[in-house]
């Protein structure tokens, strides 16, 4: 759907008009099964029609223009069958359903109003076109039951044509709201992001203006605390106000960044335009008498009925410019509508969407944004914060894993649901083959081909199979519906994919390089700003994103005050490599104790490459100095718990044990100016694994040293820069940083340290550590 609010015109497909709702109902599953069987019955119906009428035409394109309440509608679509008969022409739409047939026409009209509206729309368009002038036109729906092919034909009567008028009214109400939002945006008073610009900010603002005119994609790099969020939001708001874009997507890989974005946005626009934070189903879950969330699409059963009973418009849900998750939960408890569905229903009515980058790149999540009514990618500005995470996150989103045990349990569920013997037997064979794969090994070509043949057979039988999927456990459906994707991934026989068995009974197709997919996703949008404090080396980043240099512009910010903000020393006394680190556990623990003693009343932040490493050092430290208070980062806690942990630990603890690469190292901004001593335990290289080995082998054009640098060192140093950047965020803040490993002074590592972290101060003895800690930082 393409909307020109000021000109009061809209371009859309017939299907979009017919299915338009203030909220989009979600099917509970079976999409692959329904699509395959539906296509089968469509073909069967076409063959029948062709045999009885040689002049029948199929999939005929139709397009027309008409007005409704001051709006111009340009609509196009394809009619399934156009059948000339004596004295008339029949426009027939074929619809496959799961309901039993025959059924009363009024019942079908009530259950499937969108189908009747679609047929009525084709009839309206045909009556406008010279091609059909002088012909007696009728429209009909041919319903076919998916299970057994029972058919029932229903002619569109005058009363059914009113369903199209109803849809036009609903859509016009939405279009008028979009026009009101455009007028509001044009009149919006945008407060500057900063009352007074700091050094370097004005230069980046001017670079950004020029860069966005030069290319569709802009890479923006500036230090943590520079003010990137405010700069890009002000840029986005002004571009939207000037009419370049209708909508802005602000996406991050860490939820913590979204909180600060909302704060900044409110300071600049107040409540004057709508914005919404789109979080995942889990964060929307409720358990109330009227609705218990299942965490999947089963939540959307009877969604339309719940909306009708609630009797409100999505536009009514916005308060103070937004609709929050808590509001969704409260309203869901009152009405029985899933809170996740409530938030999604508000997306079409908001100009700014704030969410996870997976909503743009992950195949399983992209529909949440792309299927929104009125969404036009070409008139959308995308801002992606912490963009350095995209290559690895997108590769993870494309990867797939398959468990033999899950498949065995799914088979039993399908057996109970009445699935056919051939399908069950084929699924069992696939499960057995996965179960026999050697653990920890990469599959050879023969193993991949055998697995592909089995998966392909399962895929075909799933598409043809008939069973009671509505009463089948959701986990079983999700397992078998991954098989078509499994088949596709087994076809990926190139250096960008690794087919292997991570552990017994588990197969994985791991994406090693998502650059082509990432670039294709980005090209769909009007403009994209990829920003981070750690894009360097930028050439490497562009390769990992699939972006040729000619398609990219740059906005680079510098903060000269950072050069004197860090007092850095390299601890040459220890080697933190995996095979050596246990020899130095005691020395690492004693170093932490020493740093804590030199920082009374101000906790020391210690960053580790892994939880296990942190736990081992915590045990040593507790034995060496039982009085020391350690606050260790916990796994998998949500954003409020993360914030509470930092606030409490800064008051109660002597040392904070944090993990490099986690939200605490890349998303939490509470440490800025509150921590004065940091210890970075090792360069935090990824552990050696079949995946890392495959990534090394995927670059035959590079030497082994160059490949190791790209696969291991560069990602590790980016994570270190992210963690250190969180500590000093504004002029006047200072920090002592101990790089705790001899590797930091090796050229292969030191050359990747930013200039503010470069140091000639080498700690060779414990006395040298005491001396450095006693010195007042310059």
């Amino acid at each position: 759907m393409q909307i020109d609010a000021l000109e009061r015109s809209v371009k859309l497909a017939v299907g979009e008009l017919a299915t338009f709702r203030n909220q989009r109902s979600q099917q509970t599953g079976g999409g692959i099964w329904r699509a395959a069987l539906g296509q089968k019955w469509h073909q069967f119906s076409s063959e029948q029609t062709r045999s009885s009428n040689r002049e029948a035409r199929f999939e005929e394109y139709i397009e027309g223009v008409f007005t409704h309440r001051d709006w111009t509608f340009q609509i196009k679509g394809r009619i399934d069958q156009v059948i000339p008969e004596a004295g008339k022409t029949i426009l027939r739409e074929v619809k496959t359903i799961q309901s039993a047939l025959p059924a009363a026409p009024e019942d079908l009209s009530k259950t499937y109003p969108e189908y009747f509206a679609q047929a009525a729309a084709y009839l309206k368009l045909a009556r406008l076109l010279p091609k059909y002038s002088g012909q007696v036109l009728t429209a009909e729906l041919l319903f076919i039951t998916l299970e057994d092919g029972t058919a029932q034909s229903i002619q569109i009567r005058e009363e059914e044509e009113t369903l199209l008028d109803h849809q036009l009214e609903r859509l016009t109400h939405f279009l008028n709201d979009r026009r009101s939002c455009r007028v509001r945006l044009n009149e919006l008073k945008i407060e500057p992001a900063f009352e007074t610009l700091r050094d370097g900010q004005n230069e980046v603002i001017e670079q950004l203006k020029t860069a966005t005119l030069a290319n569709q994609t802009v890479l923006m790099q500036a230090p943590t605390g520079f003010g990137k969020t405010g700069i890009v939001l002000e840029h986005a708001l002004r571009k939207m106000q000037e009419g370049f874009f209708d909508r802005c997507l602000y996406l991050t890989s860490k939820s913590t960044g979204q909180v600060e974005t909302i704060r900044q946005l409110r300071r600049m626009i107040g409540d004057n335009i709508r914005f919404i934070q789109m979080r995942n189903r889990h964060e929307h879950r409720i358990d109330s008498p009227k609705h218990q969330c299942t965490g999947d699409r089963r939540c959307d059963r009877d969604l339309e009925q719940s909306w009708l009973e609630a009797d409100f418009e999505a536009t009514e849900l916005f308060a103070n410019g937004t609709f929050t998750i808590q509001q969704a939960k409260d309203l869901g408890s009152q009405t029985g509508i899933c809170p996740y569905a409530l938030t999604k229903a508000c997306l079409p009515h908001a100009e700014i969407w704030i969410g996870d980058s997976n909503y743009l790149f992950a195949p399983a999540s992209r529909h949440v944004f792309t299927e929104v009514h009125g969404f036009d990618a070409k008139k959308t500005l995308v801002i992606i914060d912490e963009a350095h995470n995209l290559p690895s996150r997108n590769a993870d989103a494309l990867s797939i894993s398959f468990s033999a045990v899950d498949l065995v349990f799914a088979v039993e569920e399908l057996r109970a649901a009445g699935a056919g013997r051939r399908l069950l037997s084929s699924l069992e064979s696939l499960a057995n083959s996965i179960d026999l794969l050697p653990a920890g090994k990469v599959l050879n070509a023969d193993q991949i081909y055998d697995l592909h043949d089995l998966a392909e057979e399962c895929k075909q039988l799933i598409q043809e199979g008939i069973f009671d999927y509505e009463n089948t456990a959701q986990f079983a459906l999700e397992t078998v519906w991954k098989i078509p994707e499994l088949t596709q991934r087994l076809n990926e026989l190139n250096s960008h994919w690794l087919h292997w068995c991570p552990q017994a009974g588990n197969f994985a197709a791991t994406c090693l390089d998502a650059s082509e997919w990432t670039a294709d996703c980005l090209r769909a949008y009007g403009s994209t700003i990829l920003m981070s404090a750690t894009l360097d080396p930028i050439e490497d980043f562009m390769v990992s994103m699939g972006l040729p240099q000619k398609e990219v512009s740059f906005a680079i910010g510098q903060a000269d005050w950072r050069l004197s903000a860090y007092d850095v020393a390299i601890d040459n006394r220890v080697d933190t490599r995996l095979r050596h680190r246990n020899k130095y556990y005691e020395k690492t623990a004693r170093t932490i104790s020493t740093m804590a003693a030199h920082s009374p009343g101000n906790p020391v932040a210690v960053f580790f490459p892994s939880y296990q490493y942190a736990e081992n050092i915590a045990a040593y430290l507790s034995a060496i100095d039982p009085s020391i208070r350690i606050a260790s980062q916990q796994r998998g806690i949500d954003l409020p718990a993360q914030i509470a942990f930092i606030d409490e630990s800064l008051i109660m603890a002597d040392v904070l044990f944090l993990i490099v690469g986690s939200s605490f190292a890349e998303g939490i901004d509470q440490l800025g100016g509150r921590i004065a001593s940091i210890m970075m335990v090792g360069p935090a290289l990824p552990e050696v694994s079949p995946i890392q080995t495959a990534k090394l082998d995927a670059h035959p054009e590079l030497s082994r040293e160059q490949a190791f640098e790209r696969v291991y060192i560069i990602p590790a140093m980016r994570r270190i820069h992210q963690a250190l950047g969180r500590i000093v965020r504004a002029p006047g803040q200072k920090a002592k940083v101990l790089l705790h490993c001899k590797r930091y002074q090796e050229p292969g590592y030191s050359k990747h340290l930013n200039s503010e972290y470069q140091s000639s101060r080498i700690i060779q003895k414990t006395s040298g550590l005491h001396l450095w800690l006693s010195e007042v930082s310059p």
Side-chain angles (χ1 to χ4, degrees), residues 221 387-389 391-392 532-545 660-661 666 682-686 692 695-696 699 702-723 743-744 746-754:
Q221 179 174 265
H388 62 277
N389 287 319
S392 60
S532 171
T534 55
L535 297 181
D536 280 331
I538 285 183
E539 295 78 8
D540 177 83
F541 177 75
M542 288 192 295
V543 169
S544 67
M545 294 287 289
V660 174
E666 295 199 18
L685 268 62
Q692 296 302 114
K695 287 181 179 180
L696 288 176
H699 299 286
L702 303 177
S703 69
R704 202 63 176 176
E705 290 76 14
Q706 290 172 323
F708 183 83
E709 181 181 33
R710 176 176 291 183
V711 172
Y712 282 90
I713 296 178
I714 290 175
M717 301 310 282
R718 278 200 181 115
R719 287 193 289 269
I720 287 169
H721 289 148
Q722 279 289 319
R743 278 178 292 172
Y744 283 111
E746 296 176 6
Y749 294 87
S750 63
K751 72 178 182 180
H752 289 292
L753 281 171
N754 285 351

Side-chain angles (χ1 to χ4, degrees), residues 434-669:
I434 293 174
D435 196 43
L436 293 174
L437 293 174
K441 300 293 184 180
V442 177
L443 273 62
N444 59 41
D446 289 341
Q447 290 171 317
I448 293 173
Y449 290 136
D450 289 345
L451 208 58
H452 176 268
D453 288 345
L454 285 170
E456 183 67 38
E457 179 182 278
C458 290
K459 171 187 170 183
Q460 295 299 323
L461 292 172
I462 289 168
Q463 292 175 344
E464 297 169 2
I466 296 172
F467 57 91
D468 183 9
Y469 78 88
E470 287 291 346
N471 292 312
T472 304
Q474 188 69 19
F475 89 87
L477 296 175
E478 291 174 355
T479 298
V480 297
W481 288 331
K482 283 170 60 178
I483 290 177
E485 184 182 359
L486 172 66
T487 305
Q488 179 184 350
R489 297 308 177 213
L490 285 165
N491 267 329
E492 307 278 7
L493 297 178
N494 56 57
S495 61
H496 292 173
W497 288 86
L498 174 68
H499 302 93
W500 64 306
C501 184
Q503 54 202 26
N506 284 271
F507 165 79
T510 301
C511 180
L512 305 174
D513 182 352
S515 57
E516 185 177 342
W517 168 264
T518 300
D520 287 344
C521 291
L522 290 176
R523 291 189 183 104
Y525 291 85
S527 183
T528 303
I529 300 172
L530 305 173
M531 66 179 189
S532 171
T534 55
L535 297 181
D536 280 331
I538 285 183
E539 295 78 8
D540 177 83
F541 177 75
M542 288 192 295
V543 169
S544 67
M545 294 287 289
L547 298 172
Q549 189 160 355
K550 64 182 180 180
E551 296 181 11
V552 176
S553 298
F554 305 93
I556 308 297
Q558 305 291 342
D560 293 339
W561 56 267
R562 288 178 59 85
L563 294 174
S564 58
Y566 292 90
D567 182 3
V568 180
I570 297 175
D571 194 345
N572 198 41
R573 302 171 302 150
V574 298
D575 186 345
T576 62
R577 284 176 292 184
L578 186 60
R579 65 180 179 271
H580 297 302
R581 64 180 55 160
N582 62 335
K583 302 175 186 177
Y584 298 96
Y585 281 167
E586 182 178 349
K587 188 171 289 292
T588 297
R590 290 193 182 279
T591 301
I592 295 170
S593 177
T594 300
M595 291 189 71
H598 280 80
S599 183
N602 194 345
V604 177
V606 186
F607 291 95
F608 291 91
S610 70
Y611 284 96
Q612 186 60 58
Y613 200 169
E615 290 167 7
N616 291 340
I617 299 302
Y620 270 80
L621 183 56
S622 296
I624 291 169
D625 188 354
S627 65
I628 203 163
R629 297 170 299 176
I630 305 171
S632 295
Q633 171 185 335
Q634 298 179 12
R635 305 172 194 254
I637 58 176
D638 59 19
L639 178 57
Q642 293 176 23
I643 294 172
F645 167 78
I646 292 293
D647 285 338
E648 182 179 335
S649 300
L650 288 172
I651 297 172
M652 303 297 296
D654 299 308
V655 293
L656 277 66
F657 278 18
L658 307 173
I659 309 302
V660 174
S662 68
S663 294
F664 290 90
E666 295 199 18
I668 290 288
D669 292 329

